[in-house]
Amino acid sequence: MSRRNGRLVLVLGDQLTEGAGALGRADPQRDTVVMAEVAEETGYVPHHPQKIVLVLSAMRKFAEGLREKGWQVAYTRLDDPDNTGSICGELIRQAEATGAQSVLATQPGEWRLRTALQDLPLRVSVLPDDRFLCPPDVFADWAKGRKVMRMEHFYRLMRRRTGYLMEGDDPAGGQWNYDHDNRKPAQDDLLREKPIQHGHDDVVVDVINLVARRFDNHFGAVEGFNYATTRRGALAVLRHFVKHHLADFGPYQDAMLTRDPFLHHALIAPYLNLGLLTPAEVCDAVQAAYEAGDVPVNSAEGFIRQIIGWREYVRGIYDLHGPDYAQQNALGHGRKLPGFYWGGPTKMACVSAVVEQTRRHAYAHHIQRLMVTGNFALLAGVDPGAVHEWYLSVYADAYEWVEAPNTLGMSQFADGGVLGSKPYVSSGAYIDRMSDYCRGCGYDVKAKTGEGACPFNLLYWHFLDRHRERFQGNPRMAQMYRTWDRMSEDRRRTVLAEATSWLKRLDSGAEE
Ligand code: FAD
Ligand code: DLZ
Ligand code: SF4
């Protein structure tokens, strides 16, 4: 059908929210929605197969829902013979097919696509992504003139703007942040409520078969796929979390267990990032549970901080920085990413457990990402570009705007300290305190040097020593340097020599 007077309305795979952005401004009578499964998006990194199944299944069902509501949707499937392979190629093709002269888009999450849209030989209007709670100009205003942009300061602004957990001008319960009540280790508990099981309908089965055929060389298991692929399913996950896990979210958010990858986490990041849930409705649900007296303030606050604080803050940082965000490497790290990140063998039980649950579920929670795989890569001096590519590939919730600031900024200190005032490094003692990994490990967490010494213990001091010039003046690291300096010279020499030879063996593939 000709829609010569209408526009093309671009809906990307992570813009599946009715009424938001371009979809909110478009006219179903005149405009044509364009959605496209394309090789450029499925291939810019080797995405985990479950992430591709999730995105493509959710796109297909969202398109069907729009059609049922009367929208004209031009939908391209990955194996359509006419598929041009890119979002821009599909827009040009659909412009020719419909006669439309212009495109209405919501700002894409990634700079890569933002730039590509600017170069299109069509008239393109880009609207802000209004699913975020902090408009870009508010973030830019807040950031202007600040030497340091700490999340905690931004978070207070967001609490005041949104009114979540506020009692007049004051924070609910009298404190802005209740983290000191949190950070407890967890015990194996067979009674802890398990995640909802999502059945596979025909759409999901078709996409699983497609992905198994086309992406069988990607790291990650496609079998066991258990993500919701509709808004309804995503809402059920949110309700399940609020009912069964929110109350314990705060105390146990940093805990890690080999046999329980999910603990009390919400498992909603994939849906928020796709648009099947909005940050506002998630926070409303948590606020309501708090007001009803169902959950304590430390859990409600800890959770709301992740959404209106961290999530909005990393979006603002990514937007502010510009397209070369992922090129940063302030510490000059260049080691190759070890093969065990892609499932190769390692004796380190902590790394092995986190990589294995990532392979099975395309999921690891924040502390596993930060303090196990991220901590190891930082201590070992792995090239942050390679670490970034890994995180962008292997998690079902991974999109560059959120992944890159977390990986390069928070986890790898590659931005030189914009996101964090000090690097997130720790020896094995932290992992031992917060998890059950060390009990089943081929290394000994109590051994600081010698046969079987935990590599985190050796590499921790190696990291501090090799970056002394940069960090010794940092007041938050002074205690670490004092401890190192109190060791005898002999001991320091032994630690550094053992760390160096462990890294050499790692590079040669002899150390696992
Ligand atoms: P919960 O632990 O239950 O937290 C609730 C929600 O808070 C999450 O769903 C998420 O939307 C939000 N949130 C929590 N922490 C952050 C954070 N630091 N930044 C942004 N939002 C946050 N999150 C992503 O959504 N996509 C990514 O690609 C991603 N990459 C990361 C890479 C590294 C190295 C690190 C350290 C963290 C990364 N995170 C990323 C943040 C966090 O790990 C995930 O949001 C969280 O693990 C998702 O699981 P959940 O939904 O069960 O979260
Ligand atoms: C992640 C992803 C994948 C795997 N495939 C598609 C796709 O085929 N079509 C599409 O429109 N979007 C896809 N996406 C999401 C995009 O990569 C995402 O929109 C950009 O990274 C911008 O955030
Ligand atoms: Fe990880 Fe070290 Fe503990 Fe082993 S001993 S699980 S390597 S922290």
Side-chain angles (χ1 to χ4, degrees), residues 12-14 36-38 41 44 47 55-56 59 87 109-110 113:
L12 291 167
D14 57 352
E37 302 172 4
V38 290
E41 298 309 309
Y44 57 81
H47 301 284
V55 177
L56 302 194
M59 283 176 71
I87 295 294
E110 260 192 63
L113 275 176

Side-chain angles (χ1 to χ4, degrees), residues 1-8 32 34 72 74 91-101:
M1 177 173 60
S2 166
R3 293 214 155 190
R4 193 158 288 282
N5 297 321
R7 298 164 295 188
L8 299 180
T32 303
V34 175
Q72 168 111 340
L91 284 169
I92 292 170
R93 192 163 73 85
Q94 298 301 347
E96 282 161 7
T98 58
Q101 306 282 319

Side-chain angles (χ1 to χ4, degrees), residues 10-16 34-45 47-48 51-56 59 75-76 78 83 87 107-114 131 215 273-274 315 318 392 396 398-401:
L10 175 64
V11 175
L12 291 167
D14 57 352
Q15 297 178 338
L16 308 182
V34 175
M35 296 181 69
E37 302 172 4
V38 290
E40 203 166 83
E41 298 309 309
T42 56
Y44 57 81
V45 288
H47 301 284
H48 194 296
K51 176 181 175 190
I52 308 180
V53 174
L54 167 61
V55 177
L56 302 194
M59 283 176 71
Y75 192 97
T76 310
L78 202 54
N83 192 327
I87 295 294
Q107 186 190 50
E110 260 192 63
W111 280 105
R112 175 181 59 83
L113 275 176
R114 293 177 190 175
R131 294 172 298 178
F215 303 101
N273 297 350
L274 283 178
R315 173 71 170 203
Y318 180 78
L392 187 56
Y399 295 87
E400 191 181 89
W401 65 265

Side-chain angles (χ1 to χ4, degrees), residues 347-351 427-429 431-432 435 437-439 441-446 454-457:
K347 258 177 13 199
M348 291 182 284
C350 52
V351 175
S427 67
I431 296 175
D432 192 29
S435 79
Y437 297 143
C438 300
R439 280 180 239 158
C441 187
Y443 291 104
D444 178 359
V445 73
K446 299 278 186 279
C454 165
F456 284 82
N457 292 344

Side-chain angles (χ1 to χ4, degrees), residues 223-452:
E223 60 280 359
F225 175 82
N226 187 33
Y227 285 95
T229 50
T230 58
R231 173 161 166 74
R232 202 168 145 178
L235 281 168
V237 175
L238 173 63
R239 277 196 298 271
H240 182 87
F241 166 67
V242 172
K243 181 166 175 198
H244 298 292
H245 294 294
L246 176 59
D248 287 324
F249 174 82
Y252 298 112
Q253 62 183 305
D254 290 3
M256 299 177 277
L257 285 179
T258 312
R259 285 189 302 202
D260 189 345
F262 309 116
L263 284 154
H264 295 289
H265 290 274
L267 319 181
I268 58 165
Y271 314 125
L272 277 168
N273 297 350
L274 283 178
L276 297 178
L277 295 176
T278 65
E281 74 192 341
V282 166
C283 293
D284 288 347
V286 172
Q287 172 86 25
Y290 171 69
E291 281 172 6
D294 296 340
V295 299
V297 69
N298 58 314
S299 284
E301 187 284 312
F303 187 83
I304 281 190
R305 174 159 23 100
Q306 310 308 318
I307 307 285
I308 68 170
W310 279 111
R311 189 170 185 273
E312 298 285 328
Y313 169 79
V314 298
R315 173 71 170 203
I317 295 278
Y318 180 78
D319 283 354
L320 211 59
H321 193 283
D324 62 348
Y325 190 92
Q327 316 307 318
Q328 301 172 96
N329 188 357
L331 300 183
H333 284 168
R335 175 160 276 108
K336 203 168 144 260
L337 190 72
F340 46 71
Y341 278 76
W342 300 109
T346 171
K347 258 177 13 199
M348 291 182 284
C350 52
V351 175
S352 167
V354 174
V355 171
E356 174 54 13
Q357 76 169 62
T358 300
R359 189 190 71 78
R360 288 183 61 191
H361 304 295
Y363 180 80
H365 70 67
H366 187 69
I367 290 300
Q368 295 174 312
R369 297 185 206 196
L370 187 65
M371 298 313 291
V372 178
T373 41
N375 186 15
F376 180 84
L378 180 57
L379 293 178
V382 176
D383 167 15
V387 183
H388 157 59
E389 181 173 320
W390 186 77
Y391 280 101
L392 187 56
S393 305
V394 302
Y395 292 112
D397 54 36
Y399 295 87
E400 191 181 89
W401 65 265
V402 51
E403 175 277 328
N406 270 295
T407 302
L408 294 154
M410 188 187 308
S411 163
Q412 301 299 297
F413 209 80
D415 65 357
V418 175
L419 244 87
S421 53
K422 72 174 188 57
Y424 280 97
V425 284
S426 79
S427 67
Y430 174 85
I431 296 175
D432 192 29
R433 189 164 67 249
M434 294 313 299
S435 79
D436 63 356
Y437 297 143
C438 300
R439 280 180 239 158
C441 187
Y443 291 104
D444 178 359
V445 73
K446 299 278 186 279
K448 311 285 188 239
T449 54
E451 184 71 18

Side-chain angles (χ1 to χ4, degrees), residues 67-100:
R67 283 197 187 107
E68 282 164 12
K69 290 184 178 126
W71 290 86
Q72 168 111 340
V73 183
Y75 192 97
T76 310
R77 288 189 176 209
L78 202 54
D79 47 9
D80 279 350
D82 295 335
N83 192 327
T84 56
S86 71
I87 295 294
C88 290
E90 285 308 286
L91 284 169
I92 292 170
R93 192 163 73 85
Q94 298 301 347
E96 282 161 7
T98 58

